[in-house]
Amino acid sequence: MWNWSGSDLKLRLTLRVAIVSTLCFAVISGYFLIEADRSVRGRIAAVADVAAKTLELQQSKIQWLNNARSDFPDLDSVAATVMTPGLCLAFRSNSGEISQRFCGGAQTDTAAPPLAFAALYRRLFDPGREAVRQVVSRGIAVGEAVAWIDPAVPTAEAWHDAGRLMAVFMIALPLLCALVYAALARALRPTRQIRDGLERIAAGDLAARLPPFDLAELSAIGDVFNQLAERLAAALSDRNALTQKLILVQDEERRHLARELHDEFGQSLAAIRALAASARQTAAADCPPLLAECDGIARTATDMMETLRGALFRLRPPDVDELGLAASLEGLVAGWNGRSRGQPRFEITISGSFERLAASVTANLYRIVQEALTNAAKHAGATRVMLRLEMREAPPGGGDSAIVLAIDDDGQPGDPQGDSQLRSGLGLLGMRERVAALGGRLSFETGQPSGSSLRVIVPVAAIREAAPVEHAA
């Protein structure tokens, strides 16, 4: 069995046409050979009939003239009219003795067939078989008229005819295959457009559409493709709108939580510190051994205040709209460097202007960077984290400008299970949702043997389309 997996459809169909054509040629050749053999046998049988009738007439003439000295059998008259190359005519008596025999010479202008073909032809058709007719006189058989043909003659004729058919076949088959292949290539040319459309859909270009095709089957595929692209675009638009609303609700909930923590928990910690200071003054006058406990309570409250301040900073970052995206990110990186004390070391590079971006867009970009830096600091074990933010201008040949965000670290990728958890974790999922809401693309890769890379590309045109949805929300 041939392995057709991955082969070209045009080639497969052309080979099948070639195989079917070869089988048809074999059947037609067999039919012509059978008809030729039947014609030869019919001719031999007719010669034997004529010879038998002639000999019976000779017997009747001898008996009518009562001429016992007349020559019998006399096949000269018959041989003169029916003899052909390779044909043999004879009279055989009842005793089996051949009394008279005539044979025509074999043809010399035809090439001898190959031995294999000659053996196969003789085995299938037995061209040397005799045609026998009894010669009857007054109801008594006096002998037999026998006709046969030299096996080499019909074998050579069959090879000659088969050779002509083979020559025609060898010319016609390549032409037929070429025409079939060209017709299939022309008919299947729209499949390239279908493949290109699918690749564009896979790359995220939901505006891809297929034109109408001449073939009804391909046209039906194109209609289904266009309907699927439209529904997918509508579903993605609804999903982005819902994601934007969820993100706004999430940010509002974070601001509310930060406000509650600042107003309630922060004031409680401030009260504890004040009480600890008051208790220390009292202990200094009345009970000096309690000074250490009062100082411990004050330090614990101070540490809790620092922890609360960091949590409030993550829950409610500085107003990006007022400070600007670049200044806010520089402050975020400086804060991480202060808390990590150089392990890891955070670096930032910003190129381009981001002042004209909507507040919701800058807030989402800030949250994406914040989550990415948190993942790099907590999970990668990196010693260096590099942040690059770039406003890439539109290329001269066409296209649109885009915001490119890259975060690289030299941390260890960890075990496969941990890496899969990072890929599917809530942090990366949240970043994907924010990037998708902005109409961008996010990719995350781990290097070998170490390091990881996060890439975010957000087209400016997609941001402009998403902005009305955010304001409506």
Side-chain angles (χ1 to χ4, degrees):
M1 292 294 293
W2 291 352
N3 185 13
W4 296 98
S5 178
S7 60
D8 185 72
L9 178 60
K10 301 185 291 295
L11 179 61
R12 292 175 60 176
L13 294 179
T14 303
L15 289 178
R16 291 185 179 182
V17 170
I19 292 173
V20 173
S21 301
T22 304
L23 293 177
C24 292
F25 169 77
V27 172
I28 294 173
S29 300
Y31 172 78
F32 278 112
L33 292 178
I34 293 173
E35 287 297 318
D37 179 73
R38 185 180 299 171
S39 176
V40 170
R41 295 191 184 282
R43 187 168 74 247
I44 295 174
V47 170
D49 288 336
V50 171
K53 296 296 183 183
T54 301
L55 293 176
E56 288 177 354
L57 288 175
Q58 291 179 8
Q59 280 289 331
S60 298
K61 183 178 180 181
I62 291 172
Q63 294 172 2
W64 182 62
L65 296 176
N66 197 15
N67 185 6
R69 298 177 59 186
S70 176
D71 293 333
F72 180 83
D74 184 8
L75 296 175
D76 290 339
S77 60
V78 179
T81 57
V82 301
M83 194 58 61
T84 57
L87 179 65
C88 293
L89 181 63
F91 174 77
R92 186 163 56 205
S93 63
N94 292 333
S95 63
E97 180 181 358
I98 300 295
S99 300
Q100 193 176 24
R101 176 177 177 178
F102 293 93
C103 285
Q107 291 180 339
T108 58
D109 58 344
T110 58
L115 296 179
F117 177 83
L120 179 62
Y121 184 83
R122 292 178 183 179
R123 182 175 181 180
L124 293 177
F125 298 104
D126 189 17
R129 188 169 57 185
E130 299 176 346
V132 180
R133 297 293 184 271
Q134 284 188 344
V135 180
V136 181
S137 177
R138 294 182 179 182
I140 300 174
V142 297
E144 296 174 339
V146 183
W148 73 92
I149 193 168
D150 185 3
V153 174
T155 303
E157 292 179 352
W159 173 250
H160 179 68
D161 295 339
R164 289 188 298 179
L165 287 175
M166 183 66 70
V168 173
F169 176 74
M170 295 301 293
I171 296 175
L173 182 61
L175 291 177
L176 177 63
C177 291
L179 291 176
V180 170
Y181 189 88
L184 290 174
R186 180 179 179 83
L188 296 177
R189 190 177 301 167
T191 56
R192 298 181 181 177
Q193 294 177 311
I194 296 176
R195 184 190 63 185
D196 294 339
L198 291 174
E199 290 178 350
R200 291 176 60 186
I201 289 291
D205 184 9
L206 300 183
R209 296 294 183 271
L210 295 180
F213 302 119
D214 296 334
L215 293 179
E217 294 81 2
L218 295 181
S219 182
I221 293 175
D223 293 340
V224 174
F225 176 90
N226 293 336
Q227 293 176 6
L228 179 62
E230 292 176 358
R231 293 181 181 178
L232 186 59
L236 185 60
S237 178
D238 295 340
R239 174 180 175 272
N240 288 342
L242 179 60
T243 301
Q244 285 288 346
K245 293 180 180 179
L246 292 177
I247 291 174
L248 291 175
V249 172
Q250 183 185 45
D251 291 341
E252 182 62 29
E253 183 66 23
R254 286 183 174 180
R255 285 192 293 269
H256 176 72
L257 180 60
R259 188 164 50 249
E260 292 292 330
L261 289 176
H262 179 271
D263 294 342
E264 301 295 336
F265 195 62
Q267 292 181 6
S268 299
L269 289 177
I272 292 175
R273 292 179 61 185
L275 291 175
S278 177
R280 190 179 189 283
Q281 292 179 356
T282 303
D286 299 336
C287 188
L290 293 179
L291 290 177
E293 285 79 358
C294 293
D295 293 338
I297 294 174
R299 285 194 302 270
T300 302
T302 301
D303 294 340
M304 293 178 67
M305 288 289 289
E306 291 295 329
T307 304
L308 178 61
R309 189 176 293 109
L312 292 176
F313 183 81
R314 289 190 295 272
L315 287 173
R316 186 176 182 180
D319 196 339
V320 181
D321 190 21
E322 294 182 1
L323 298 179
L325 180 61
S328 298
L329 292 180
E330 290 174 352
L332 177 64
V333 170
W336 273 107
N337 282 327
R339 288 189 297 272
S340 64
R341 295 180 175 85
Q343 290 295 328
R345 175 67 181 175
F346 293 86
E347 301 176 4
I348 182 172
T349 302
I350 299 177
S351 60
S353 176
F354 301 90
E355 297 178 355
R356 296 183 180 180
L357 295 179
S360 58
V361 175
T362 56
N364 280 330
L365 291 174
Y366 183 89
R367 287 294 188 184
I368 293 170
V369 174
Q370 185 184 38
E371 187 63 40
L373 295 181
T374 302
N375 288 337
K378 291 184 177 180
H379 303 295
T383 60
R384 184 183 181 190
V385 180
M386 293 162 288
L387 167 64
R388 294 190 301 275
L389 182 64
E390 175 186 0
M391 176 64 75
R392 184 175 298 173
E393 299 298 332
D400 197 2
S401 57
I403 300 173
V404 180
L405 173 65
I407 299 177
D408 301 306
D409 64 72
D410 57 356
Q412 298 296 326
D415 59 353
Q417 181 179 3
D419 183 59
S420 63
Q421 290 176 355
L422 177 59
R423 288 176 177 268
S424 60
L426 294 178
L428 188 57
L429 180 60
M431 286 189 286
R432 290 187 185 278
E433 293 295 334
R434 290 182 182 273
V435 173
L438 295 176
R441 302 188 305 274
L442 181 146
S443 62
F444 178 77
E445 297 179 357
T446 56
Q448 295 296 334
S450 64
S452 62
S453 176
L454 177 71
R455 293 290 184 274
V456 175
I457 300 177
V458 180
V460 176
I463 293 176
R464 294 169 183 167
E465 295 176 359
V469 177
E470 297 173 5
H471 293 309

